[in-house]
Protein backbone atom coordinates (compact mmCIF):
# COMPACT_ATOMS: atom_id res chain seq x y z
CA UNK A 1 0.00 0.00 0.00
CA UNK A 2 1.42 3.40 -0.92
CA UNK A 3 1.69 5.99 1.82
CA UNK A 4 -1.04 8.59 1.52
CA UNK A 5 0.00 12.19 1.23
CA UNK A 6 -2.80 13.33 3.51
CA UNK A 7 -3.94 11.82 6.80
CA UNK A 8 -6.92 14.02 7.54
CA UNK A 9 -8.91 15.80 4.87
CA UNK A 10 -11.82 18.16 4.71
CA UNK A 11 -13.92 17.35 1.68
CA UNK A 12 -16.29 20.03 0.43
CA UNK A 13 -19.11 18.52 -1.60
CA UNK A 14 -21.37 20.98 -3.39
CA UNK A 15 -25.10 20.38 -3.12
CA UNK A 16 -25.29 19.83 -6.88
CA UNK A 17 -23.35 16.58 -6.46
CA UNK A 18 -26.42 15.19 -4.71
CA UNK A 19 -28.70 16.05 -7.60
CA UNK A 20 -27.54 13.56 -10.25
CA UNK A 21 -29.40 14.25 -13.51
CA UNK A 22 -32.30 15.90 -11.78
CA UNK A 23 -32.79 19.65 -11.98
CA UNK A 24 -33.48 20.08 -8.31
CA UNK A 25 -33.28 18.21 -5.04
CA UNK A 26 -31.74 14.91 -4.09
CA UNK A 27 -31.15 11.81 -6.19
CA UNK A 28 -30.35 8.95 -3.79
CA UNK A 29 -28.31 7.25 -6.51
CA UNK A 30 -26.07 10.32 -6.81
CA UNK A 31 -25.72 10.38 -3.03
CA UNK A 32 -24.59 6.74 -3.19
CA UNK A 33 -21.96 7.61 -5.81
CA UNK A 34 -20.58 10.32 -3.54
CA UNK A 35 -20.65 7.86 -0.63
CA UNK A 36 -18.71 5.22 -2.59
CA UNK A 37 -15.93 7.68 -3.37
CA UNK A 38 -15.70 8.59 0.29
CA UNK A 39 -15.66 4.91 1.22
CA UNK A 40 -12.63 4.35 -1.04
CA UNK A 41 -10.53 6.76 1.00
CA UNK A 42 -12.08 5.83 4.32
CA UNK A 43 -10.95 2.23 3.83
CA UNK A 44 -7.40 3.53 3.46
CA UNK A 45 -7.63 4.90 7.00
CA UNK A 46 -7.74 8.51 5.92
CA UNK A 47 -9.73 10.64 8.34
CA UNK A 48 -12.52 12.44 6.52
CA UNK A 49 -14.79 15.36 7.44
CA UNK A 50 -17.33 16.36 4.81
CA UNK A 51 -18.84 19.82 4.50
CA UNK A 52 -21.97 19.52 2.43
CA UNK A 53 -23.52 22.38 0.44
CA UNK A 54 -27.17 23.08 -0.26
CA UNK A 55 -27.23 24.59 -3.74
CA UNK A 56 -29.36 21.76 -5.17
CA UNK A 57 -32.18 22.82 -2.85
CA UNK A 58 -31.85 26.45 -1.82
CA UNK A 59 -29.31 29.27 -1.97
CA UNK A 60 -29.71 32.42 0.06
CA UNK A 61 -28.91 34.71 -2.86
CA UNK A 62 -31.64 33.12 -4.99
CA UNK A 63 -34.09 33.52 -2.12
CA UNK A 64 -33.19 37.19 -1.80
CA UNK A 65 -33.94 37.69 -5.50
CA UNK A 66 -37.41 36.31 -4.83
CA UNK A 67 -37.93 38.93 -2.16
CA UNK A 68 -36.98 37.05 1.02
CA UNK A 69 -34.79 38.94 3.46
CA UNK A 70 -31.19 37.88 2.87
CA UNK A 71 -30.44 36.59 6.37
CA UNK A 72 -33.68 34.59 6.45
CA UNK A 73 -32.94 33.17 3.01
CA UNK A 74 -29.46 32.20 4.17
CA UNK A 75 -30.89 30.31 7.14
CA UNK A 76 -33.14 28.50 4.66
CA UNK A 77 -30.02 27.63 2.67
CA UNK A 78 -28.36 26.27 5.80
CA UNK A 79 -31.40 24.07 6.42
CA UNK A 80 -30.99 22.76 2.87
CA UNK A 81 -27.47 21.60 3.76
CA UNK A 82 -28.94 19.66 6.69
CA UNK A 83 -31.26 17.78 4.32
CA UNK A 84 -28.31 16.92 2.09
CA UNK A 85 -26.29 15.89 5.11
CA UNK A 86 -28.95 13.43 6.15
CA UNK A 87 -29.13 12.02 2.61
CA UNK A 88 -25.35 11.61 2.56
CA UNK A 89 -25.38 10.00 5.98
CA UNK A 90 -28.00 7.53 4.77
CA UNK A 91 -25.93 6.74 1.66
CA UNK A 92 -22.67 6.35 3.60
CA UNK A 93 -24.28 3.97 6.05
CA UNK A 94 -25.74 1.97 3.16
CA UNK A 95 -22.21 1.38 1.87
CA UNK A 96 -20.99 0.46 5.35
CA UNK A 97 -19.24 3.63 6.45
CA UNK A 98 -19.89 4.70 10.06
CA UNK A 99 -20.78 8.36 10.31
CA UNK A 100 -21.73 11.11 12.67
CA UNK A 101 -23.42 14.27 11.53
CA UNK A 102 -22.91 17.58 13.26
CA UNK A 103 -24.72 20.79 12.49
CA UNK A 104 -23.61 24.36 13.12
CA UNK A 105 -27.29 25.18 13.74
CA UNK A 106 -28.55 23.35 16.79
CA UNK A 107 -30.87 20.53 15.84
CA UNK A 108 -30.67 17.99 18.66
CA UNK A 109 -33.52 15.84 17.40
CA UNK A 110 -31.79 15.37 14.06
CA UNK A 111 -28.04 15.27 14.63
CA UNK A 112 -25.25 16.32 16.96
CA UNK A 113 -24.28 19.95 17.30
CA UNK A 114 -20.90 20.96 15.98
CA UNK A 115 -18.32 20.53 18.72
CA UNK A 116 -14.78 20.80 17.44
CA UNK A 117 -13.12 18.35 19.80
CA UNK A 118 -15.89 15.82 19.38
CA UNK A 119 -15.62 16.02 15.60
CA UNK A 120 -11.89 15.30 15.87
CA UNK A 121 -12.56 12.37 18.19
CA UNK A 122 -15.09 10.89 15.77
CA UNK A 123 -12.51 10.96 13.00
CA UNK A 124 -9.89 9.41 15.24
CA UNK A 125 -12.34 6.62 15.96
CA UNK A 126 -12.80 5.97 12.27
CA UNK A 127 -16.09 7.74 11.66
CA UNK A 128 -16.71 10.05 8.76
CA UNK A 129 -18.02 13.35 10.12
CA UNK A 130 -20.63 15.16 8.06
CA UNK A 131 -20.72 18.87 8.83
CA UNK A 132 -23.97 20.61 7.99
CA UNK A 133 -25.21 24.21 8.15
CA UNK A 134 -21.85 25.67 7.11
CA UNK A 135 -20.69 28.23 9.63
CA UNK A 136 -24.12 28.62 11.23
CA UNK A 137 -24.27 32.30 10.31
CA UNK A 138 -25.71 34.07 7.25
CA UNK A 139 -24.00 36.12 4.51
CA UNK A 140 -21.43 33.42 3.76
CA UNK A 141 -21.55 30.08 1.99
CA UNK A 142 -20.48 26.54 2.74
CA UNK A 143 -17.12 27.27 1.10
CA UNK A 144 -16.36 29.51 4.06
CA UNK A 145 -17.67 26.79 6.37
CA UNK A 146 -15.30 24.38 4.66
CA UNK A 147 -12.19 26.53 5.08
CA UNK A 148 -13.10 27.32 8.68
CA UNK A 149 -13.68 23.67 9.57
CA UNK A 150 -10.55 22.55 7.69
CA UNK A 151 -8.51 24.88 9.87
CA UNK A 152 -10.10 24.19 13.23
CA UNK A 153 -10.14 20.42 12.66
CA UNK A 154 -6.45 20.57 11.70
CA UNK A 155 -6.96 18.94 8.32
CA UNK A 156 -3.99 18.57 5.98
CA UNK A 157 -5.89 19.87 2.99
CA UNK A 158 -9.22 21.24 1.87
CA UNK A 159 -10.51 19.27 -1.10
CA UNK A 160 -13.22 20.88 -3.12
CA UNK A 161 -15.01 18.32 -5.23
CA UNK A 162 -16.79 19.89 -8.17
CA UNK A 163 -18.42 19.02 -11.46
CA UNK A 164 -15.47 20.49 -13.39
CA UNK A 165 -12.17 18.61 -13.38
CA UNK A 166 -9.95 21.56 -12.37
CA UNK A 167 -9.69 25.35 -12.26
CA UNK A 168 -9.58 27.05 -15.67
CA UNK A 169 -8.72 30.63 -16.61
CA UNK A 170 -12.19 30.97 -18.22
CA UNK A 171 -15.38 28.99 -17.92
CA UNK A 172 -14.56 25.83 -19.96
CA UNK A 173 -18.25 25.22 -20.68
CA UNK A 174 -18.45 28.54 -22.55
CA UNK A 175 -14.89 29.02 -23.88
CA UNK A 176 -13.15 26.45 -26.07
CA UNK A 177 -9.79 28.12 -25.46
CA UNK A 178 -10.05 27.93 -21.65
CA UNK A 179 -6.76 26.75 -20.12
CA UNK A 180 -6.45 24.49 -17.13
CA UNK A 181 -4.27 25.29 -14.16
CA UNK A 182 -2.04 22.63 -12.67
CA UNK A 183 -1.14 24.86 -9.75
CA UNK A 184 -2.35 28.27 -8.68
CA UNK A 185 -0.81 30.53 -6.07
CA UNK A 186 -3.31 31.71 -3.46
CA UNK A 187 -2.53 35.31 -4.44
CA UNK A 188 -3.43 34.67 -8.07
CA UNK A 189 -6.52 32.69 -7.11
CA UNK A 190 -7.80 35.62 -5.03
CA UNK A 191 -7.05 38.09 -7.84
CA UNK A 192 -8.86 36.08 -10.47
CA UNK A 193 -12.33 37.52 -10.04
CA UNK A 194 -14.75 35.75 -12.32
CA UNK A 195 -12.95 32.43 -12.18
CA UNK A 196 -15.02 30.33 -9.89
CA UNK A 197 -12.59 28.73 -7.51
CA UNK A 198 -14.13 29.40 -4.15
CA UNK A 199 -15.59 32.35 -2.32
CA UNK A 200 -13.04 35.08 -1.81
CA UNK A 201 -13.58 34.96 1.97
CA UNK A 202 -12.86 31.22 1.99
CA UNK A 203 -9.79 31.62 -0.20
CA UNK A 204 -8.45 34.46 1.92
CA UNK A 205 -8.84 32.30 5.03
CA UNK A 206 -6.93 29.44 3.38
CA UNK A 207 -4.20 31.80 2.22
CA UNK A 208 -3.77 33.57 5.56
CA UNK A 209 -3.52 30.28 7.41
CA UNK A 210 -1.59 28.20 4.89
CA UNK A 211 -4.33 25.71 4.19
CA UNK A 212 -3.76 24.08 0.79
CA UNK A 213 -6.74 23.60 -1.46
CA UNK A 214 -7.33 21.02 -4.18
CA UNK A 215 -10.10 21.37 -6.74
CA UNK A 216 -11.03 18.26 -8.70
CA UNK A 217 -13.92 16.33 -10.20
CA UNK A 218 -15.69 14.01 -7.80
CA UNK A 219 -17.61 11.87 -10.23
CA UNK A 220 -14.61 10.41 -12.03
CA UNK A 221 -14.13 7.03 -10.44
CA UNK A 222 -11.13 6.82 -8.15
CA UNK A 223 -10.43 10.54 -8.30
CA UNK A 224 -10.69 11.14 -4.57
CA UNK A 225 -8.30 8.27 -3.85
CA UNK A 226 -5.88 9.65 -6.43
CA UNK A 227 -6.08 13.13 -4.93
CA UNK A 228 -5.37 11.76 -1.48
CA UNK A 229 -2.42 9.69 -2.57
CA UNK A 230 -0.90 12.83 -4.10
CA UNK A 231 -1.50 12.19 -7.80
CA UNK A 232 -1.64 15.24 -10.00
CA UNK A 233 -5.32 15.64 -10.65
CA UNK A 234 -7.32 18.83 -10.77
CA UNK A 235 -5.72 22.06 -9.56
CA UNK A 236 -3.66 22.59 -6.41
CA UNK A 237 -3.89 26.04 -4.80
CA UNK A 238 -1.37 27.04 -2.17
CA UNK A 239 0.89 29.81 -0.91
CA UNK A 240 4.00 27.81 -1.69
CA UNK A 241 3.32 27.15 -5.39
CA UNK A 242 3.64 29.31 -8.50
CA UNK A 243 0.81 29.54 -10.99
CA UNK A 244 1.32 27.05 -13.82
CA UNK A 245 -0.91 25.80 -16.59
CA UNK A 246 -1.35 22.04 -17.01
N1 LIG B 1 -25.29 29.39 4.06
C1 LIG B 1 -25.10 30.38 5.01
N2 LIG B 1 -24.04 30.30 5.89
C2 LIG B 1 -23.15 29.27 5.83
C3 LIG B 1 -23.32 28.27 4.85
C4 LIG B 1 -24.40 28.35 4.00
O1 LIG B 1 -25.87 31.33 5.08
O2 LIG B 1 -22.20 29.24 6.63
C5 LIG B 1 -26.47 29.42 3.17
C6 LIG B 1 -26.28 30.33 1.97
O3 LIG B 1 -27.52 30.93 1.70
C7 LIG B 1 -25.93 29.35 0.86
C8 LIG B 1 -26.79 28.16 1.23
O4 LIG B 1 -26.72 28.13 2.66
O5 LIG B 1 -26.26 29.83 -0.41
C9 LIG B 1 -26.37 26.84 0.64
O6 LIG B 1 -24.97 26.67 0.68
P1 LIG B 1 -24.02 26.83 -0.61
O7 LIG B 1 -24.59 27.84 -1.56
O8 LIG B 1 -22.65 27.06 -0.13
O9 LIG B 1 -24.16 25.38 -1.25
P2 LIG B 1 -23.31 24.73 -2.46
O10 LIG B 1 -23.08 25.79 -3.50
O11 LIG B 1 -22.03 24.26 -1.91
O12 LIG B 1 -24.16 23.62 -2.92
Amino acid sequence: MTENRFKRVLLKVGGESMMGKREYGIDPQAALEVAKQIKDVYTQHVQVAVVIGGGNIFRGLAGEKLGIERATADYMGMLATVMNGLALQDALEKVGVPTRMQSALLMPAVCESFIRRKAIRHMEKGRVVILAAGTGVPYVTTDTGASLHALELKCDVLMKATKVDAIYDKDPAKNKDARRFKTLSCKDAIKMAGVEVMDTAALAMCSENNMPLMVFELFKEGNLTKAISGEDIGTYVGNEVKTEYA
Side-chain angles (χ1 to χ4, degrees):
M1 198 174 79
T2 51
E3 185 73 1
N4 284 317
R5 180 174 171 194
F6 306 115
K7 304 265 182 273
R8 181 181 292 164
V9 301
L10 188 300
L11 178 66
K12 158 74 207 287
V13 177
E16 286 180 5
S17 308
M18 305 290 283
M19 202 161 67
K21 291 203 167 65
R22 300 172 60 147
E23 284 184 6
Y24 171 85
I26 297 167
D27 172 2
Q29 199 51 43
L32 268 179
E33 293 306 316
V34 176
K36 282 182 195 156
Q37 290 260 4
I38 296 173
K39 184 180 181 178
D40 285 347
V41 295
Y42 161 82
T43 48
Q44 294 181 41
H45 307 290
V46 175
Q47 296 182 13
V48 188
V50 186
V51 166
I52 182 90
N56 55 323
I57 300 170
F58 198 85
R59 280 204 177 93
L61 278 175
E64 190 182 32
K65 280 192 193 131
L66 297 174
I68 303 171
E69 189 197 350
R70 171 69 193 270
T72 302
D74 278 338
Y75 280 108
M76 292 166 72
M78 285 183 257
L79 293 177
T81 72
V82 177
M83 291 175 67
N84 281 334
L86 288 172
L88 182 60
Q89 182 170 44
D90 177 73
L92 278 165
E93 289 185 345
K94 285 204 166 94
V95 298
V97 177
T99 62
R100 290 292 185 275
M101 177 160 143
Q102 297 195 341
S103 167
L105 290 177
L106 306 195
M107 232 171 267
V110 175
C111 61
E112 293 179 3
S113 303
F114 176 71
I115 299 173
R116 186 180 79 89
R117 296 174 69 110
K118 214 167 164 182
I120 292 174
R121 192 74 193 117
H122 285 322
M123 287 190 281
E124 286 170 350
K125 284 190 167 174
R127 299 169 186 142
V128 168
V129 183
I130 300 165
L131 301 167
T135 61
V137 295
Y139 292 95
V140 287
T141 69
T142 48
D143 279 359
T144 306
S147 51
L148 191 66
H149 284 320
L151 287 165
E152 64 182 334
L153 298 177
K154 301 195 186 308
C155 295
D156 301 317
V157 65
L158 196 176
M159 305 189 127
K160 181 166 173 170
T162 63
K163 284 185 156 179
V164 189
D165 63 349
I167 302 171
Y168 288 78
D169 58 359
K170 297 173 199 161
D171 182 350
K174 292 181 195 147
N175 302 280
K176 277 197 174 145
D177 59 341
R179 292 179 73 191
R180 202 181 114 179
F181 291 108
K182 179 172 182 272
T183 52
L184 198 53
S185 73
C186 284
K187 256 191 197 162
D188 286 343
I190 292 169
K191 265 192 273 169
M192 283 169 37
V195 177
E196 279 179 36
V197 184
M198 257 208 147
D199 287 3
T200 318
L203 263 178
M205 205 187 291
C206 286
S207 171
E208 276 166 26
N209 298 283
N210 271 318
M211 174 59 65
L213 164 72
M214 285 178 81
V215 177
F216 65 97
E217 191 182 353
L218 185 61
F219 282 108
K220 225 182 209 168
E221 219 184 307
N223 246 7
L224 186 54
T225 315
K226 282 186 191 158
I228 280 171
S229 63
E231 273 187 54
D232 247 347
I233 60 156
T235 304
Y236 179 94
V237 186
N239 282 328
E240 77 287 12
V241 293
K242 285 198 181 121
T243 297
E244 270 179 37
Y245 285 107

